[in-house]
Amino acid sequence: MRRKTGLVATAAAPATVVTPLLASPAAAASGTEDTVSTNSYYGRMVIGWGINPYRLDPIRITAQDRATDGYVVGIRLVTNGEAGHKVWKMRTVPSGQTSASWTTSLQAGWIDNAYFEVCKIGAGSGVIASCEASGVMNNPFDDSSV
């Protein structure tokens, strides 16, 4: 196991849940989740954290467009960890729909924390008009003592 090193992260708080490492080939914690909600949009992400290998699995994503304002609603994951600060692919609610859901996974080495952004995107231009970030979801595993 690698030793966790410090990493600067926006509004990162220390992990409040410490889960002991199991001797099994794979261990997973229950999911962490958060929501972002306004009159214009809604976003929710549930993240399952895993080790051996380090993995976010599953990642359940929901986005909802609540306004007929000419904007498309998008949602994207942001992680901080061994691979640095990574902003992942934007997923958008398809034209003609008011909501969309996705289930995916991610394997990118040790991830200290994650959050997501829900964004309003110009329908014709594809330019991001504004985004609102969720709270930081910290990795519930602490392998620094191994």
Side-chain angles (χ1 to χ4, degrees):
M1 311 241 34
R2 76 172 211 54
R3 185 164 183 82
K4 250 171 80 167
T5 58
L7 179 70
V8 176
T10 306
T16 58
V17 177
V18 177
T19 305
L21 296 176
L22 304 176
S24 65
S30 60
T32 57
E33 68 180 276
D34 202 0
T35 60
V36 171
S37 184
T38 71
N39 290 334
S40 298
Y41 51 78
Y42 168 84
R44 178 175 187 252
M45 214 173 271
V46 179
I47 299 175
W49 299 81
I51 56 173
N52 297 330
Y54 298 129
R55 191 173 172 88
L56 301 184
D57 187 15
I59 304 170
R60 292 188 181 92
I61 305 165
T62 302
Q64 183 180 50
D65 189 346
R66 295 180 168 173
T68 54
D69 56 6
Y71 289 96
V72 173
V73 171
I75 189 168
R76 63 185 175 191
L77 178 67
V78 181
T79 59
N80 293 292
E82 185 174 41
H85 179 83
K86 304 258 315 180
V87 178
W88 299 90
K89 173 186 166 186
M90 179 79 72
R91 296 169 186 268
T92 57
V93 175
S95 178
Q97 292 182 260
T98 57
S99 64
S101 296
W102 303 268
T103 300
T104 188
S105 63
L106 172 65
Q107 190 168 336
W110 178 263
I111 295 175
D112 290 307
N113 61 63
Y115 64 94
F116 63 93
E117 297 176 324
V118 182
C119 304
K120 288 175 69 169
I121 304 165
S125 67
V127 174
I128 295 174
S130 64
C131 291
E132 186 171 338
S134 72
V136 173
M137 294 174 274
N138 291 293
N139 187 332
F141 291 109
D142 179 6
D143 72 345
S144 61
S145 63
V146 176

